[in-house]
Amino acid sequence: MKMPLRFPWLIPALLPLAMVSPALGDDAEATATAVFGGGCFWCVEEAFDKVEGVVATTSGFSGGDVENPTYEQVVAGGTGHAEVVKVEYEPEQVDYATLLHVFWRNIDPFAVDRQFCDRGEAYRSAIFYGSEAERELAESTRDELAERFERDIATEIAAFEAFYPAEEYHQGYYLKNPVRYQYYKAACGRERRLEEVWGAEAGGLSQP
């Protein structure tokens, strides 16, 4: 798997891309990983690439029961997987709580088995935690949002089991195909819905 050209200096530090636990890595002290599902993984990549301290994002699939699924299998339904992004980050620069802050403000937390114009189990929002500390933080922030909005939060919170990278053409799609990507993003109503839910917090780049 090639890294997007925006981070050429990270190529020597690539982690294995299949079945990698968020708690594991080639240099666990230097970087950590988190796995989030927020609908179309192209858009989730773009959101996390803007976060200082994030060094790499990889689109893929988690949460299902089929090994090495293809994109076509996942979006057709039946594999149980969600489109996700594996976020590699430097804990000294950004912590997991901040990543959660960004995650929530880039999804519609009330949508069941969909995000924006994309529908089906593959597009459900999800947090796949790699430790008890991550689970507690994820559940705490979910409960805070439920209280804030006085509504149930549909986002799945589940233990991480496996990550399977999507096909190469999906990686860094928003950079490789900017015109098509922006057309899709606008037509899907993603930014409009995020502003409806989050107002000035949409995107989550302000400090939590």
Side-chain angles (χ1 to χ4, degrees), residues 26-59:
D26 289 338
D27 188 351
E29 294 183 357
T31 63
T33 57
V35 177
F36 301 108
C40 173
F41 43 32
W42 302 340
C43 299
V44 180
E45 272 197 21
E46 182 191 21
F48 279 104
D49 280 345
K50 296 175 180 177
V51 178
E52 185 175 357
V54 168
V55 297
T57 55
T58 306
S59 288

Short mmCIF file of all heavy atoms in Angstrom, two decimals, residues 26-59:
data_model
loop_
_atom_site.label_atom_id
_atom_site.label_comp_id
_atom_site.label_asym_id
_atom_site.label_seq_id
_atom_site.Cartn_x
_atom_site.Cartn_y
_atom_site.Cartn_z
N ASP A 26 4.65 -0.71 14.75
CA ASP A 26 6.08 -0.98 14.68
C ASP A 26 6.82 -0.21 15.76
O ASP A 26 7.86 -0.65 16.25
CB ASP A 26 6.62 -0.57 13.30
CG ASP A 26 6.13 -1.52 12.21
OD1 ASP A 26 5.75 -2.66 12.53
OD2 ASP A 26 6.14 -1.10 11.05
N ASP A 27 6.32 0.95 16.12
CA ASP A 27 6.94 1.76 17.17
C ASP A 27 5.82 2.30 18.03
O ASP A 27 5.39 3.44 17.88
CB ASP A 27 7.76 2.89 16.54
CG ASP A 27 8.57 3.64 17.58
OD1 ASP A 27 8.36 3.38 18.78
OD2 ASP A 27 9.40 4.48 17.19
N ALA A 28 5.36 1.46 18.96
CA ALA A 28 4.16 1.78 19.74
C ALA A 28 4.34 3.03 20.57
O ALA A 28 3.38 3.71 20.90
CB ALA A 28 3.76 0.60 20.63
N GLU A 29 5.61 3.35 20.97
CA GLU A 29 5.83 4.52 21.80
C GLU A 29 5.72 5.80 20.98
O GLU A 29 5.38 6.85 21.51
CB GLU A 29 7.20 4.43 22.47
CG GLU A 29 7.30 3.27 23.49
CD GLU A 29 8.65 3.26 24.18
OE1 GLU A 29 9.49 4.11 23.82
OE2 GLU A 29 8.85 2.42 25.05
N ALA A 30 6.03 5.73 19.70
CA ALA A 30 6.04 6.92 18.86
C ALA A 30 4.67 7.25 18.32
O ALA A 30 4.29 8.41 18.23
CB ALA A 30 7.03 6.75 17.72
N THR A 31 3.92 6.23 17.89
CA THR A 31 2.61 6.45 17.32
C THR A 31 1.60 5.47 17.88
O THR A 31 1.95 4.44 18.44
CB THR A 31 2.63 6.30 15.78
OG1 THR A 31 2.99 4.96 15.44
CG2 THR A 31 3.61 7.27 15.14
N ALA A 32 0.33 5.84 17.72
CA ALA A 32 -0.79 4.97 18.09
C ALA A 32 -1.79 5.03 16.95
O ALA A 32 -1.68 5.86 16.05
CB ALA A 32 -1.42 5.44 19.40
N THR A 33 -2.76 4.12 16.97
CA THR A 33 -3.79 4.13 15.94
C THR A 33 -5.17 4.08 16.54
O THR A 33 -5.38 3.55 17.64
CB THR A 33 -3.62 2.95 14.96
OG1 THR A 33 -3.65 1.71 15.69
CG2 THR A 33 -2.32 3.05 14.19
N ALA A 34 -6.12 4.65 15.83
CA ALA A 34 -7.53 4.64 16.22
C ALA A 34 -8.34 4.33 14.97
O ALA A 34 -7.92 4.66 13.85
CB ALA A 34 -7.93 5.99 16.80
N VAL A 35 -9.50 3.70 15.16
CA VAL A 35 -10.32 3.31 14.02
C VAL A 35 -11.73 3.87 14.19
O VAL A 35 -12.41 3.60 15.19
CB VAL A 35 -10.38 1.77 13.89
CG1 VAL A 35 -11.29 1.35 12.74
CG2 VAL A 35 -8.98 1.21 13.67
N PHE A 36 -12.16 4.65 13.18
CA PHE A 36 -13.46 5.31 13.22
C PHE A 36 -14.24 5.08 11.94
O PHE A 36 -13.66 5.10 10.84
CB PHE A 36 -13.30 6.83 13.39
CG PHE A 36 -12.56 7.25 14.63
CD1 PHE A 36 -11.27 7.75 14.56
CD2 PHE A 36 -13.17 7.15 15.87
CE1 PHE A 36 -10.59 8.15 15.70
CE2 PHE A 36 -12.50 7.55 17.03
CZ PHE A 36 -11.21 8.05 16.93
N GLY A 37 -15.53 4.87 12.06
CA GLY A 37 -16.42 4.79 10.91
C GLY A 37 -17.36 5.97 10.90
O GLY A 37 -18.11 6.17 11.87
N GLY A 38 -17.31 6.74 9.83
CA GLY A 38 -18.14 7.93 9.77
C GLY A 38 -18.81 8.11 8.42
O GLY A 38 -18.88 9.21 7.89
N GLY A 39 -19.28 6.99 7.85
CA GLY A 39 -19.84 7.05 6.51
C GLY A 39 -18.73 6.93 5.48
O GLY A 39 -17.76 6.19 5.70
N CYS A 40 -18.84 7.63 4.38
CA CYS A 40 -17.86 7.55 3.30
C CYS A 40 -16.45 7.78 3.83
O CYS A 40 -16.14 8.84 4.38
CB CYS A 40 -18.17 8.58 2.23
SG CYS A 40 -16.91 8.70 0.95
N PHE A 41 -15.57 6.79 3.65
CA PHE A 41 -14.23 6.92 4.21
C PHE A 41 -13.40 7.97 3.51
O PHE A 41 -12.42 8.48 4.08
CB PHE A 41 -13.49 5.59 4.31
CG PHE A 41 -13.57 4.64 3.15
CD1 PHE A 41 -13.69 5.08 1.84
CD2 PHE A 41 -13.51 3.27 3.37
CE1 PHE A 41 -13.74 4.19 0.78
CE2 PHE A 41 -13.56 2.36 2.32
CZ PHE A 41 -13.66 2.82 1.02
N TRP A 42 -13.74 8.35 2.29
CA TRP A 42 -13.01 9.46 1.65
C TRP A 42 -13.10 10.72 2.51
O TRP A 42 -12.12 11.42 2.70
CB TRP A 42 -13.60 9.76 0.28
CG TRP A 42 -13.62 8.65 -0.70
CD1 TRP A 42 -12.87 7.51 -0.71
CD2 TRP A 42 -14.45 8.60 -1.88
NE1 TRP A 42 -13.19 6.74 -1.80
CE2 TRP A 42 -14.14 7.37 -2.54
CE3 TRP A 42 -15.40 9.44 -2.44
CZ2 TRP A 42 -14.78 7.00 -3.73
CZ3 TRP A 42 -16.02 9.08 -3.62
CH2 TRP A 42 -15.71 7.87 -4.27
N CYS A 43 -14.31 10.99 2.98
CA CYS A 43 -14.55 12.22 3.75
C CYS A 43 -13.92 12.14 5.13
O CYS A 43 -13.43 13.16 5.65
CB CYS A 43 -16.05 12.46 3.89
SG CYS A 43 -16.92 12.69 2.32
N VAL A 44 -13.91 10.96 5.73
CA VAL A 44 -13.31 10.81 7.05
C VAL A 44 -11.80 10.98 6.96
O VAL A 44 -11.18 11.59 7.85
CB VAL A 44 -13.69 9.45 7.66
CG1 VAL A 44 -13.05 9.28 9.04
CG2 VAL A 44 -15.21 9.30 7.75
N GLU A 45 -11.20 10.47 5.90
CA GLU A 45 -9.76 10.72 5.68
C GLU A 45 -9.47 12.21 5.65
O GLU A 45 -8.55 12.70 6.32
CB GLU A 45 -9.30 10.10 4.36
CG GLU A 45 -8.84 8.68 4.42
CD GLU A 45 -8.04 8.29 3.19
OE1 GLU A 45 -7.50 9.19 2.51
OE2 GLU A 45 -7.94 7.10 2.91
N GLU A 46 -10.24 12.93 4.86
CA GLU A 46 -10.00 14.37 4.73
C GLU A 46 -10.10 15.06 6.08
O GLU A 46 -9.27 15.91 6.42
CB GLU A 46 -10.99 14.99 3.75
CG GLU A 46 -10.76 16.48 3.55
CD GLU A 46 -11.88 17.19 2.81
OE1 GLU A 46 -13.01 16.66 2.78
OE2 GLU A 46 -11.62 18.28 2.27
N ALA A 47 -11.09 14.69 6.87
CA ALA A 47 -11.29 15.33 8.17
C ALA A 47 -10.11 15.11 9.10
O ALA A 47 -9.61 16.05 9.72
CB ALA A 47 -12.57 14.79 8.82
N PHE A 48 -9.61 13.89 9.18
CA PHE A 48 -8.52 13.61 10.12
C PHE A 48 -7.17 14.04 9.60
O PHE A 48 -6.26 14.33 10.40
CB PHE A 48 -8.52 12.13 10.49
CG PHE A 48 -9.53 11.79 11.55
CD1 PHE A 48 -10.71 11.14 11.23
CD2 PHE A 48 -9.32 12.14 12.88
CE1 PHE A 48 -11.65 10.84 12.20
CE2 PHE A 48 -10.25 11.85 13.87
CZ PHE A 48 -11.42 11.20 13.52
N ASP A 49 -7.00 14.11 8.30
CA ASP A 49 -5.72 14.60 7.77
C ASP A 49 -5.45 16.05 8.16
O ASP A 49 -4.30 16.50 8.13
CB ASP A 49 -5.69 14.48 6.24
CG ASP A 49 -5.37 13.07 5.77
OD1 ASP A 49 -4.89 12.26 6.59
OD2 ASP A 49 -5.60 12.77 4.58
N LYS A 50 -6.48 16.78 8.53
CA LYS A 50 -6.33 18.18 8.91
C LYS A 50 -5.90 18.36 10.37
O LYS A 50 -5.59 19.47 10.79
CB LYS A 50 -7.64 18.93 8.69
CG LYS A 50 -8.09 19.00 7.24
CD LYS A 50 -9.45 19.66 7.12
CE LYS A 50 -9.92 19.73 5.68
NZ LYS A 50 -11.29 20.31 5.57
N VAL A 51 -5.90 17.27 11.13
CA VAL A 51 -5.63 17.35 12.57
C VAL A 51 -4.13 17.30 12.82
O VAL A 51 -3.44 16.36 12.40
CB VAL A 51 -6.33 16.20 13.31
CG1 VAL A 51 -6.01 16.26 14.80
CG2 VAL A 51 -7.84 16.26 13.08
N GLU A 52 -3.61 18.29 13.51
CA GLU A 52 -2.20 18.30 13.86
C GLU A 52 -1.87 17.11 14.75
O GLU A 52 -2.57 16.86 15.73
CB GLU A 52 -1.84 19.60 14.58
CG GLU A 52 -0.36 19.75 14.88
CD GLU A 52 -0.01 21.09 15.48
OE1 GLU A 52 -0.91 21.94 15.63
OE2 GLU A 52 1.18 21.29 15.81
N GLY A 53 -0.85 16.37 14.40
CA GLY A 53 -0.48 15.18 15.16
C GLY A 53 -0.89 13.90 14.48
O GLY A 53 -0.40 12.82 14.84
N VAL A 54 -1.80 13.98 13.51
CA VAL A 54 -2.16 12.81 12.71
C VAL A 54 -1.13 12.68 11.60
O VAL A 54 -0.89 13.63 10.85
CB VAL A 54 -3.58 12.94 12.11
CG1 VAL A 54 -3.83 11.87 11.05
CG2 VAL A 54 -4.62 12.85 13.22
N VAL A 55 -0.51 11.51 11.50
CA VAL A 55 0.56 11.34 10.52
C VAL A 55 0.15 10.51 9.32
O VAL A 55 0.83 10.55 8.29
CB VAL A 55 1.81 10.72 11.18
CG1 VAL A 55 2.37 11.66 12.24
CG2 VAL A 55 1.52 9.35 11.78
N ALA A 56 -0.94 9.74 9.42
CA ALA A 56 -1.39 8.95 8.28
C ALA A 56 -2.84 8.51 8.49
O ALA A 56 -3.28 8.32 9.62
CB ALA A 56 -0.51 7.71 8.09
N THR A 57 -3.57 8.38 7.39
CA THR A 57 -4.92 7.81 7.43
C THR A 57 -5.02 6.76 6.33
O THR A 57 -4.47 6.93 5.25
CB THR A 57 -6.00 8.89 7.21
OG1 THR A 57 -5.74 9.58 5.97
CG2 THR A 57 -6.04 9.89 8.36
N THR A 58 -5.76 5.68 6.63
CA THR A 58 -5.95 4.61 5.67
C THR A 58 -7.41 4.21 5.65
O THR A 58 -7.98 3.90 6.70
CB THR A 58 -5.10 3.38 6.02
OG1 THR A 58 -3.74 3.77 6.17
CG2 THR A 58 -5.21 2.31 4.94
N SER A 59 -8.02 4.22 4.49
CA SER A 59 -9.41 3.79 4.35
C SER A 59 -9.49 2.27 4.34
O SER A 59 -8.63 1.59 3.75
CB SER A 59 -10.01 4.35 3.05
OG SER A 59 -10.22 5.74 3.14
#
